[in-house]
Structure formats: C-alpha cells, structure tokens
C-alpha cells in the first residue's frame, strides 16, 4: 500500500481532466493504495503567495500547512492539468509557489541564503504528470518547445529530488471522440497502476 497525492487543476467538473483524475483515483484505490485527492478549483485553493510565507520559517496558513505535511510524507505524486499557454493553470502555479516550499520540498545545501545546491526533501521518488492539449505533437515540440516538460521534470520534481518522472500527454482533445477519450482515461489508469 502506498500513499499517493493526486492534484487536479481544472475548473470544469465535466472536463476530460476531471474524468481522468477521478478514474485514476479509483484505479489506485482499487489496487489498495491510499489516495489524497485535491481538486484545487473545487476547494477554491488560494494561489496567491503572501509575503509572510516567503521566508523558509514563514508563518503558514493552516490550509498550506496541511498541503505541505501531505506533500512531504506521500510515496508518490500525480498532477493532472490541461496545457494552458504552455503552463499549468494559475491555480496550480500558485499551489507550486505555496506548497513546494523550502524546508518542505527542498533545501539549499552549503548556503542557506538560497544560492546553494538544491537538495530534495520529499519522501516520494516517483511523480506522474498527466496533461491534455489541443496542439499536435510536432508543433508543440518544434514551435513551443513543450515547456511543461521542463517545468515539471526539471524545475519542480528534479529540483526536489523526485527523479522517477513520468508524463502522459493526451491530444488533441477538441476534436476527440468519446471512444478516444475513454481510451485515454484507461491509458492514464493503466500507467498510474503500473508505476505505483
Ligand atoms: C486559458 C486557456 C489556454 C490554453 N492554452 C493552450 C495551449 O497553450 N496549448 C494547447 O495545446 N491548448 C491550450 N488550451 C486548450 C486546452 O489545453 C484544452 O482545452 C484542454 O486540454 C482540453 O481538456 P479538457 O476537456 O479537460 O478541458 C488552452 C485552453 C484555455 C482555456
């Protein structure tokens, strides 16, 4: 049994993203894992980092303190979100700002002023990011450079020492059939069950 954190960032409860997150949650629970699930929009997560939370020993809002205590102890992390402007939705960027904190997710070794070498502090060794998009793969890679890959693999999980990184991109959503979406949902579940 593993404890897995599942974060969903999509405002529409009838979206493909929502369907993927719910199915992945169910599949993992079916395997006997414990899933800690957060639907950031449904919970009205406040993405704005207050000044007082910036210092490493800053005073945390209780909601953020809870998110941090979950993040640090789970065995695996799954993030589900659409590609919006080559970035995560702002609510999720704010979750990164507030929850992936120094002293919780990473620390700087050698120089505590923030210029040392980052060292990961999370227990989780494995992360899965599931994205949806309306852009063809060649165009995403050649024109935009797939920024979400860098953001999650290197800037976030790599820095925090979560080196077993998996990512699924389902596209093109806007022209997809219900059958295609069902196949994607199953693929997401199969991958989550396989890696956790
Ligand atoms: C604000 C906004 C920005 C978007 N930016 C992009 C983008 O940069 N690239 C892209 O491929 N799709 C973009 N899209 C399309 C979404 O990725 C697409 O609607 C979503 O992946 C479909 O999944 P869903 O049915 O779960 O919403 C954008 C959509 C919105 C609402």
């Amino acid at each position: 049994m593993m404890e897995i954190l599942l974060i969903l960032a999509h405002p529409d409860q009838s979206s493909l993203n929502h369907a993927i997150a719910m199915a992945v949650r169910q599949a993992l629970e079916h395997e006997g894992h414990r899933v800690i699930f957060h639907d950031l929009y449904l919970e009205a997560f406040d993405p704005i980092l207050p000044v007082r939370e910036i210092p490493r020993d800053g005073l945390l809002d209780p909601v953020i303190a809870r998110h941090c205590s979950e993040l640090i102890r789970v065995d695996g992390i799954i993030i589900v979100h659409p590609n919006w402007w080559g970035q995560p939705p702002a609510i999720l960027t704010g979750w990164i700002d507030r929850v992936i904190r120094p002293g919780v997710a990473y620390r700087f070794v050698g120089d505590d002023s923030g210029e040392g070498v980052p060292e990961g502090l999370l227990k989780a060794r494995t992360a899965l990011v599931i994205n949806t998009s309306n852009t063809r793969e060649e165009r995403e890679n050649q024109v935009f450079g797939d920024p979400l890959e860098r953001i999650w693999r290197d800037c976030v999980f790599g820095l925090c020492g979560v080196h077993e990184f998996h990512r699924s991109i389902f596209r093109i959503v806007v022209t997809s059939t219900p059958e295609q979406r069902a196949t994607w949902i199953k693929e997401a579940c199969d991958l989550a069950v396989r890696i956790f």
Side-chain angles (χ1 to χ4, degrees):
M1 198 280 283
M2 291 175 98
E3 200 167 38
I4 296 162
L5 181 64
L6 173 60
I7 302 290
L8 167 65
H10 196 295
D12 185 351
Q13 300 281 308
S14 65
S15 64
L16 174 63
N17 277 260
H18 197 270
I20 289 171
M22 298 314 286
V24 164
R25 177 188 191 179
Q26 207 179 18
L28 290 170
E29 285 175 346
H30 184 76
E31 291 292 303
H33 298 306
R34 175 160 186 267
V35 179
I36 301 174
F37 176 59
H38 289 286
D39 178 335
L40 297 182
Y41 280 95
L42 195 66
E43 294 172 16
F45 180 85
D46 179 359
I48 296 175
L49 173 67
V51 174
R52 67 172 183 281
E53 285 181 10
I54 294 176
R56 185 193 161 111
D57 57 356
L59 185 65
L60 298 190
D61 177 291
V63 172
I64 300 303
R66 206 182 101 217
H67 274 277
C68 290
S69 73
E70 291 166 352
L71 179 74
I72 200 163
R73 73 160 195 260
V74 291
D75 305 294
I77 302 164
I78 304 177
I79 313 270
V80 181
H81 74 84
N83 178 343
W84 282 5
W85 294 104
Q87 305 159 69
I91 200 168
L92 180 54
T93 304
W95 180 86
I96 297 171
D97 291 347
R98 297 187 75 187
V99 178
I100 308 208
R101 291 181 55 76
V104 170
Y106 66 91
R107 64 179 178 146
F108 288 105
V109 180
D111 177 354
D112 224 19
S113 67
E115 291 171 15
V117 180
E119 179 187 74
L121 298 175
L122 298 179
K123 181 179 167 198
R125 289 286 159 268
T126 307
L128 168 62
V129 172
I130 301 173
N131 295 141
T132 62
S133 144
N134 283 342
T135 306
R136 279 184 298 111
E137 185 173 0
E138 310 79 73
R139 183 169 166 78
E140 182 63 48
N141 293 340
Q142 286 163 20
V143 178
F144 302 120
D146 195 9
L148 285 170
E149 179 76 13
R150 297 294 321 258
I151 290 171
W152 287 114
R153 176 189 291 276
D154 303 316
C155 305
V156 176
F157 287 119
L159 185 137
C160 296
V162 183
H163 292 302
E164 194 190 324
F165 177 80
H166 302 263
R167 181 163 167 249
S168 280
I169 309 160
F170 298 118
R171 60 192 151 205
I172 292 172
V173 178
V174 70
T175 52
S176 63
T177 61
E179 293 73 28
Q180 175 66 77
R181 290 195 284 277
T183 306
W184 287 335
I185 291 167
K186 186 171 183 312
E187 268 179 50
C189 292
D190 290 348
L191 179 61
V193 164
R194 185 164 60 74
I195 66 179
F196 291 112

